[in-house]
Amino acid sequence: MDSYSIGYANIALVKYWGKKSKNPVLPFNPNLSLRLDNLYSKTKIEKSNSNEDEFYINDEKQNFEEVTKIISFIEKFVPKNREKIKIISYNAVPTAAGLSSSSSGTMALVLACNKYFNLNKTTEQLVQIAKEGSGSSCRSFYKMASWLEDGSVEEIKTNLNLAMLVLVVDENRKKISSRNAMELCVTTSTNFDYWVQKAKEDFVEMKNALAENNFSKIGKITESNALAMHSTTKFANPPFSFLTDDSYNAMEIVKKLRKNDYECYFTMDAGPNVKVLYLKENEENIYREIKKLWTKKIIMCTE
Ligand code: 2P0
């Protein structure tokens, strides 16, 4: 266990949706996230027993395409003449189901490389390396973080005890990767410019709301930002949606709870699952009420 490096998932309250630059990876708009300490990946690297690089997720040997993808990323920052390696990774997050497994996986991988290859990088350097593997992973290094258009990552402080659970709609691997979906929206979505403008404003408002400890404002921005991001998919060519009927049912449940004075808000990423944001001190009540209305799986994300 000791030799594993841990990386955490994070969920954006103001989303990253679109690359202004691919090399280096820079977002169109500043974005901001909350780390989910219960959703993590752990990774270790060993010398390969064969004469090729190997990659395992949850004991499953990954195919050539996946190995190539991960190796071409790590070759950007590990020594060129190296021995073949075996990357062993476990996800406590369903893989590629819009539950941010790429952010936890990339953070764990970057830390594991730092250890195995004795790179001795600082956290700031590792953050910058991670974002080249998966943009959102750079935010996982801090409990709350913002990632700005110039590539810098800042820790955000809050006095609020923000917490999250997931109403699981579907744990399967999504059909379209967030990278490809994002790219399709950047290049074809007719409301993409509107999204970028709104997200920039949301970011400023969100930082104010966090400074004011104004949870209602934080929640409202979180919901409206998520809906705006998802609306770009509907105006893409061809149009598509990550959300299913069950996602909309889950959103209705959140609204119903709110009406009954259980304050909580929804957000969704590149998948159908619905994340619910609330204050930790209300967790017991919210969980009890939500359980009456949502019969499928619920994942508690924060300690
Ligand atoms: C986010 N997502 O802010 C947004 C919201 C998904 C929806 O960042 O292409 O895997 O590797 O930089 O980081 C997921 O995108 O994309 C993501 P790449 P990444 O969390």
Side-chain angles (χ1 to χ4, degrees):
M1 177 67 199
D2 283 354
S3 54
Y4 282 95
S5 298
I6 310 278
Y8 299 96
N10 72 76
I11 296 296
L13 307 184
V14 175
K15 309 291 184 192
Y16 147 54
W17 193 241
K19 293 179 183 64
K20 191 173 69 180
S21 151
K22 286 184 188 162
N23 187 19
V25 176
L26 297 173
F28 263 106
N29 62 277
N31 47 85
L32 185 151
S33 67
L34 174 67
R35 188 169 78 191
L36 308 183
D37 290 344
N38 286 353
L39 298 192
Y40 61 88
S41 303
K42 57 175 195 174
T43 297
K44 70 174 173 184
I45 298 178
E46 292 173 353
K47 184 175 173 313
S48 172
N49 296 324
S50 66
N51 55 3
E52 55 183 34
D53 291 315
E54 295 174 60
F55 175 29
Y56 289 82
I57 300 181
N58 297 346
D59 297 322
E60 227 175 82
K61 193 172 192 321
Q62 301 297 295
N63 63 27
F64 179 74
E65 197 188 335
E66 292 299 322
V67 176
T68 309
K69 213 159 59 177
I70 199 165
I71 293 295
S72 63
F73 166 54
I74 71 169
E75 284 190 335
K76 290 179 185 171
F77 62 95
V78 304
K80 294 278 171 283
N81 40 13
R82 57 172 182 84
E83 293 176 326
K84 298 289 181 195
I85 54 169
K86 182 176 177 183
I87 303 167
I88 303 163
S89 199
Y90 291 92
N91 279 339
V93 189
T95 309
L99 286 174
S100 196
S101 60
S102 75
S103 58
S104 59
T106 306
M107 178 181 171
L109 175 68
V110 167
L111 291 173
C113 287
N114 194 44
K115 196 185 276 180
Y116 182 78
F117 294 104
N118 291 317
L119 302 178
N120 292 319
K121 303 275 188 197
T122 62
T123 301
E124 287 71 23
Q125 289 170 323
L126 295 172
V127 162
Q128 289 301 319
I129 289 170
K131 88 183 205 323
E132 301 303 315
S134 151
S136 58
S137 70
C138 66
R139 299 183 312 228
S140 288
F141 288 76
Y142 303 103
K143 182 74 198 164
M144 282 202 100
S146 64
W147 176 28
L148 309 180
E149 294 110 304
D150 65 2
S152 57
V153 177
E154 287 176 354
E155 183 171 13
I156 303 278
K157 299 273 188 201
T158 175
N159 296 327
L160 297 173
N161 206 349
L162 299 173
M164 230 178 229
L165 60 79
V166 184
L167 300 177
V168 179
V169 170
D170 188 349
E171 285 188 89
N172 293 320
R173 198 175 261 270
K174 58 207 175 197
K175 288 173 198 78
I176 174 165
S177 71
S178 46
R179 182 164 297 184
N180 292 342
M182 193 185 285
E183 175 76 6
L184 185 67
C185 290
V186 171
T187 51
T188 70
S189 188
T190 52
N191 67 352
F192 191 77
D193 291 347
Y194 168 76
W195 151 254
V196 173
Q197 193 49 43
K198 177 182 161 51
K200 285 181 178 174
E201 289 162 17
D202 286 348
F203 180 79
V204 174
E205 288 296 305
M206 181 63 86
K207 282 193 64 171
N208 290 339
L210 283 163
E212 293 159 7
N213 294 320
N214 186 338
F215 181 61
S216 303
K217 199 163 148 189
I218 292 167
K220 284 190 188 109
I221 303 165
T222 299
E223 282 195 358
S224 95
N225 184 268
L227 291 173
M229 183 203 105
H230 283 273
S231 111
T232 65
T233 70
K234 294 178 192 156
F235 290 92
N237 188 7
F240 65 100
S241 180
F242 291 114
L243 308 175
T244 65
D245 287 349
D246 262 353
S247 312
Y248 288 98
N249 292 339
M251 288 181 237
E252 286 306 316
I253 288 173
V254 171
K255 286 193 207 163
K256 192 167 176 182
L257 252 66
R258 210 152 64 218
K259 228 182 230 161
N260 295 336
D261 281 340
Y262 297 100
E263 193 172 15
C264 56
Y265 299 88
F266 59 73
T267 184
M268 295 77 58
D269 293 280
N273 300 307
V274 174
K275 291 98 185 183
V276 182
L277 177 72
Y278 53 90
L279 292 172
K280 189 72 180 174
E281 53 266 35
N282 299 330
E283 182 164 270
E284 227 179 287
N285 289 339
I286 286 179
Y287 180 73
R288 187 191 61 235
E289 294 305 311
I290 228 162
K291 196 105 179 87
K292 292 179 191 163
L293 301 169
W294 183 256
T295 51
K296 296 170 91 171
K297 186 170 168 180
I298 298 175
I299 302 175
M300 308 308 285
C301 303
T302 30
E303 315 217 300

